[in-house]
Amino acid sequence: MRSLATLHQPHASCSQSVGQQARRRSLPCRRSGCARAPRLMTRAGSPVLEASGDQDDANITPPIDAFEELVRLAVEKDPSLASLAEQHLRSKKVTASSSLLGPSLSALPNQSKPAWLRQRAPQGDVYNGLKSQLRGLKLATVCEEAQCPNIGECWNGEMATATIMLLGDTCTRGCRFCAVNTARTPPPPDPDEPVNTAQAVASWGVGYVVLTSVDRDDLPDGGAEHFARTVRTLKQLKPNILVECLTPDFRGDLDAVRHLAGSGLDVFAHNVETVERLQRRVRDPRAGYMQTLAVLRAAKQAGVYTKSSIMLGLGESDEEVVDTMLDLKAVGVDIFTLGQYLQPTPHHLPVSEFVTPEKFEYWRRFGQEEIGFRYVASGPMVRSSYKAGEFFLHSMIESDRAAMRASRAQQGQQQQVGQQEQGGQW
């Protein structure tokens, strides 16, 4: 294993009490891509956040509301969002009483769920309306196909969003964590899907949308052009919309990756899913850790924001999580998310550990403050596509572009002044 640091991971679960006194230590960085040595808060060798009290973790609540924290960060970057942010926070408080955070987790197999994972089933007028519209247009969503626990939250309120799944609802791969249907030869893609999808999304009036797809190893380019045509059509219909594409690896075909990255999308997302040691156990054999890094590097070189995600609770160690963060940062990943793995059916991998909200908060801070990702979303219910994160990313991208426009305008003025001064000398 390529090791950044010597971290001892005890066999005991991360969900033990964390009220004990913590100490700091510095980790020597032995990777060329790391600019500084991470500093971990440790308890008996395992990184935690400083905490007080002896309360059992089953009753611990996250110290920070993730959605409110993201909105606060967005307003800090762009104060003009303050009014809109207040509306979203008010809307969230209204819907919070019904706990619209997705399918009943008590129905998931073989696990006794900790308190922070107990939610009610999705409901609400907006949820039902969006579901009906998607059915009418014959559009699939990864929210439903992958049994995302956040479907109720993301499909309700003024920020209602859905992650549209292109290229059908059947994947050619069989990853052991994923509930999406699989087949060796799925039905051919719908040639009208790019136009139908773009028209539907443009009609919703959203400012940020996520497009994703199943793996289509049966197609020559893995579906890259189908994906790219959807993006191009959407940008033609609504030029100001920000588009994130959560992509497959296209069998490692970097020409296909560059083709999609150059289609006009704003964020290229491709998930590493788990640490290097667990890749063969968790993902289909046609996927791979190094292949994922190569895809993300090629996308970044095309000049777009890049994003990746990892699941916790599959048996990874803290050292392996740190190594994964460093590898992703080394290939230019800007945005990183961490969430709890949940076993969708008895036929899928069991959960090795339910990671506490406190530990997720530790990884969020570590990823942003020590590794240097532009943005990290980390929590038991966080998934790669999550509407609270989209709110922040929208603000971040618009702020970056405004700064770039201002810089170009300033450079133009400086050049004009220089030319005038030169003309005066002659």
Side-chain angles (χ1 to χ4, degrees), residues 6 26 32-33 40 63-64 66 143 158-159 191 229 284 294 314 356 377 382 389 391 395 405 410 418:
T6 306
S26 294
S32 60
L40 291 172
I64 300 174
C143 319
E158 296 179 14
M159 280 187 70
R229 187 155 65 94
D284 185 278
L314 286 162
T356 65
V382 167
F391 183 85
S395 171
R405 288 192 296 269
Q410 185 178 14

Side-chain angles (χ1 to χ4, degrees), residues 71-280:
V71 171
R72 182 187 67 76
L73 291 171
V75 172
E76 281 184 2
K77 275 192 167 288
D78 185 356
S80 68
L81 292 172
S83 177
L84 180 63
E86 185 179 353
Q87 294 176 18
H88 292 324
L89 290 175
R90 190 162 53 242
S91 172
K92 179 178 183 292
K93 289 176 181 177
V94 169
T95 59
S97 60
S98 56
S99 297
L100 300 178
L101 287 177
S104 173
L105 296 173
S106 62
L108 294 174
N110 301 332
Q111 304 293 337
S112 176
K113 305 299 180 299
W116 59 82
L117 288 176
R118 294 170 189 163
Q119 309 292 345
R120 295 180 184 174
Q123 52 189 284
D125 293 339
V126 178
Y127 167 84
N128 292 328
L130 184 54
K131 184 173 182 178
S132 176
Q133 184 186 17
L134 291 167
R135 290 293 169 278
L137 293 168
K138 298 181 180 179
L139 297 179
T141 70
V142 74
C143 319
E144 297 171 289
E145 296 297 328
Q147 301 180 19
C148 179
N150 300 310
I151 186 171
E153 181 180 357
C154 289
W155 286 25
N156 276 283
E158 296 179 14
M159 280 187 70
T161 60
T163 299
I164 301 299
M165 189 160 67
L166 305 174
L167 296 167
D169 61 359
T170 304
C171 186
T172 55
R173 298 188 185 177
C175 296
R176 297 186 65 199
F177 66 89
C178 183
V180 173
N181 295 329
T182 62
R184 184 170 298 176
T185 54
D190 177 2
D192 297 326
E193 185 179 57
V195 173
N196 289 341
T197 299
Q199 290 176 342
V201 172
S203 72
W204 292 341
V206 297
Y208 192 107
V209 67
V210 181
L211 304 175
T212 190
S213 80
V214 293
D215 279 282
R216 291 300 301 259
D217 296 315
D218 58 316
L219 302 178
D221 67 347
E225 168 54 21
H226 188 97
F227 225 133
R229 187 155 65 94
T230 307
V231 176
R232 291 194 302 266
T233 306
L234 180 54
K235 287 286 189 173
Q236 289 170 359
L237 293 173
K238 194 171 183 182
N240 293 330
I241 193 170
L242 298 180
V243 180
E244 175 184 328
C245 291
L246 175 57
T247 77
D249 59 21
F250 304 112
R251 303 188 304 275
D253 181 350
L254 299 187
D255 287 335
V257 172
R258 286 186 280 264
H259 178 67
L260 176 54
S263 65
L265 60 80
D266 301 283
V267 178
F268 187 107
H270 176 57
N271 292 340
V272 70
E273 307 295 6
T274 188
V275 300
E276 186 174 14
R277 175 178 58 86
L278 298 176
Q279 292 280 317
R280 298 285 290 182

Side-chain angles (χ1 to χ4, degrees), residues 18-20 49-55 358:
V18 294
Q20 304 173 19
L49 290 175
E50 288 184 302
S52 60
D54 299 321
Q55 191 176 19
E358 187 177 52

